[in-house]
Amino acid sequence: MSKPQAFYPFFQVGRIGEIAMRIPKARNLYPESEYDLTILLPDTQIPTANQAVIDILCRGVRVKHVASEQEARAMHQQAKAEDPRAVWVDPDPAANYVEYLNRFHDQPRSYFASLGREDVEKGWRLREKLGMPRNARIVTCHVREAGYLDHKADMSYHGYRNADIQNFFYALIYLIKRGYWVVRLGDRSMRPLSDFPNHLIDAPFHPEYEPFFDPYFIASSDFYLGMLSGPNTLAGAFGVPQLLTNVPLSCASEENEGDMMIPKKYYSHQLGRMLTYEEILMSPILDFNRLYLYQESEIEVIENASTEIFAAVWEMESRLNDRYPFRDEAELSHARVKQIQKKAHLWRQHTLTPDHYPHYPFMASYLLKGRLSHEFIRMHPGYLGHDFPRIAWGFHPRVEGLPARLEAFHRERMQTSL
């Protein structure tokens, strides 16, 4: 029996992130083993779209270019008249994300993007032009800056997601000294890099740059280092391990085993201190996705310092090469993180209503497979919570133990079973 047809309308083709988020999710939700999937794209060229990414992610499925949604709907209706099983896929990315996460948080995905043989051979020729050996170990890096969207007044609310490339310099120099080639991705609105060794390729400003740089070098990476943005979404589509820095906790993208993240820090001017992980996850702050919400709540979102990024890069590179010395300790802190995430997950399940948009009745990080950097936790002993007094409850409750100093919390916690 033939497979039912599925039509996925993707009319708002834009930057890499939109392409790499939507097409792979559609291909996982409607796998080739079960559906005859058609991706419907606009029939006009989108200037901001990376055609190389589209070509690679659409390879293996049918693609049709349509002039309007009406034309696409007509195609679906004709298919449905011939076979009532024909499916029109909801184009809403939030709805697809909910379905995707619910389905794949506890089972493997059916689709990962991959390079074809011609891509690999083209990549070898590109490496030759760059003076890069075929067997070079690569880390791709992308640091989100304001420049690309600065001219769009309606996008200024994204400012809390940006960071300074200078805070990555120590980490990049460390990787180069370890023998890696670093390919920095982005666009020409970013600050050019200077005075770096030859093993750093500043792709947007390189004379050999072409759109193929992005999918080829990301797919060829030992890991991706950087921010939540288009390139990181593409790394997730290829299944490349990611070290995500400066992560706002309202976002979650560490979806693959081996992914790691360090969050931005949240300083409350009302309380006069940093907020803990649990305080953020168990409050409306978790859904803040506009700069003014932080400002009105007197919360300052602080980007990662160079030492935090350097420590996390050391941890990531050590883990990938099976020489990270604190694995047992890290499993204890990871268990504590999952406890906090589970609490937030249950809270959201029982408090969010359908009028909450996007309606995510779950804690995404709890369902995803990545982890917080243990080195970040070691640098911030109080981040996973405060130690409260131990109380013996009865008719006459009494204090059995006073809270430990915040600085001692990490050491005390590591000596007890979670």
Side-chain angles (χ1 to χ4, degrees):
M1 187 176 182
S2 63
K3 294 178 288 186
Q5 294 190 65
F7 295 86
Y8 178 58
F10 185 22
F11 303 132
Q12 296 180 337
V13 180
R15 298 180 299 277
I16 286 177
E18 295 168 330
I19 301 166
M21 177 181 69
R22 300 192 188 188
I23 293 177
K25 284 182 172 54
R27 295 190 66 166
N28 275 287
L29 291 171
Y30 299 88
E32 296 171 47
S33 59
E34 301 176 28
Y35 292 91
D36 185 3
L37 177 64
T38 299
I39 298 175
L40 304 170
L41 298 176
D43 62 357
T44 55
Q45 181 70 34
I46 310 298
T48 57
N50 184 312
Q51 190 60 47
V53 172
I54 295 174
D55 292 343
I56 290 172
L57 296 187
C58 288
R59 189 176 292 151
V61 296
R62 184 184 295 109
V63 174
K64 286 192 177 296
H65 295 270
V66 295
S68 64
E69 182 176 347
Q70 289 76 11
E71 181 183 344
R73 291 277 187 181
M75 290 175 57
H76 170 246
Q77 288 303 318
Q78 181 179 348
K80 196 170 183 65
E82 298 171 358
D83 182 353
R85 299 175 301 162
V87 178
W88 177 264
V89 183
D90 187 346
D92 180 7
N96 286 329
Y97 181 64
V98 170
E99 184 180 356
Y100 173 84
L101 201 54
N102 283 329
R103 186 181 304 183
F104 294 107
H105 75 273
D106 61 353
Q107 62 178 303
R109 287 146 57 182
S110 60
Y111 168 79
F112 283 93
S114 61
L115 299 175
R117 180 172 180 174
E118 291 184 2
D119 300 321
V120 173
E121 292 174 352
K122 182 178 179 179
W124 286 344
R125 293 193 296 271
L126 179 58
R127 290 188 187 218
E128 187 175 350
K129 292 179 183 178
L130 300 175
M132 179 188 295
R134 286 189 179 186
N135 63 348
R137 295 182 299 166
I138 297 170
V139 173
T140 40
C141 176
H142 177 257
V143 180
R144 192 180 191 280
E145 299 181 15
Y148 188 78
L149 297 176
D150 233 7
H151 63 288
K152 300 177 182 289
D154 61 329
M155 300 296 281
S156 60
Y157 63 79
H158 275 298
Y160 68 93
R161 296 172 56 194
N162 300 334
D164 188 343
I165 185 64
Q166 292 190 59
N167 287 331
F168 289 74
F169 285 176
Y170 289 143
L172 298 182
I173 291 171
Y174 167 78
L175 288 170
I176 291 170
K177 287 185 175 181
R178 291 286 302 167
Y180 291 88
W181 284 68
V182 175
V183 180
R184 187 243 198 159
L185 302 172
D187 64 89
R188 296 185 67 85
S189 69
M190 304 171 81
R191 186 188 317 177
L193 301 181
S194 59
D195 300 325
F196 264 88
N198 291 334
H199 283 207
L200 189 147
I201 307 296
D202 198 5
F205 304 96
H206 199 282
E208 297 292 339
Y209 177 78
E210 58 174 293
F212 181 68
F213 260 63
D214 299 82
Y216 174 71
F217 283 115
I218 287 176
S220 305
S221 297
D222 282 42
F223 68 95
Y224 165 90
L225 165 65
M227 314 276 290
L228 287 172
S229 194
N232 108 271
T233 310
L234 188 56
F238 279 108
V240 171
Q242 301 182 65
L243 172 52
L244 300 171
T245 70
N246 294 287
V247 176
L249 292 176
S250 57
C251 306
S253 190
E254 63 282 11
E255 64 181 57
N256 297 321
E257 202 73 50
D259 289 351
M260 198 166 67
M261 59 89 89
I262 49 177
K264 284 197 172 184
K265 294 159 290 189
Y266 292 51
Y267 182 85
S268 169
H269 287 276
Q270 293 183 19
L271 298 177
R273 63 169 174 81
M274 297 289 183
L275 298 179
T276 67
Y277 188 56
E278 185 168 352
E279 286 173 329
I280 299 165
L281 265 56
M282 296 295 295
S283 77
I285 300 170
L286 185 62
D287 290 315
F288 284 7
N289 59 2
R290 298 292 188 273
L291 181 59
Y292 76 87
L293 293 172
Y294 294 101
Q295 293 171 337
E296 290 181 356
S297 301
E298 299 183 57
I299 294 172
E300 184 178 353
V301 183
I302 302 173
E303 69 180 275
N304 296 140
S306 59
T307 49
E308 294 168 341
I309 297 171
F310 177 83
V313 165
W314 173 79
E315 178 182 354
M316 184 74 171
E317 202 264 342
S318 299
R319 283 181 179 275
L320 290 175
N321 290 283
D322 201 27
R323 54 180 175 79
Y324 183 60
F326 304 115
R327 285 186 178 273
D328 292 342
E329 182 183 293
E331 291 309 309
L332 291 177
S333 69
H334 183 59
R336 172 63 178 152
V337 167
K338 300 312 286 187
Q339 285 180 341
I340 295 171
Q341 291 176 350
K342 183 177 181 180
K343 185 185 296 186
H345 179 67
L346 293 172
W347 178 75
R348 293 179 73 83
Q349 282 186 316
H350 292 90
T351 57
L352 292 190
T353 58
D355 60 354
H356 182 283
Y357 184 85
H359 179 53
Y360 295 160
F362 48 70
M363 174 63 200
S365 291
Y366 176 65
L367 299 177
L368 296 174
K369 300 177 178 67
R371 62 172 63 219
L372 261 69
S373 161
H374 184 57
E375 291 307 306
F376 178 85
I377 295 169
R378 282 159 56 90
M379 295 177 76
H380 302 282
Y383 187 66
L384 293 186
H386 300 287
D387 195 23
F388 293 96
R390 291 181 291 276
I391 307 295
W393 287 98
F395 288 110
H396 302 286
R398 68 183 187 278
V399 176
E400 288 190 331
L402 295 175
R405 291 184 305 115
L406 188 62
E407 293 80 7
F409 174 77
H410 177 73
R411 291 192 298 275
E412 179 183 90
R413 177 169 50 77
M414 285 305 171
Q415 293 171 2
T416 60
S417 172
L418 294 175

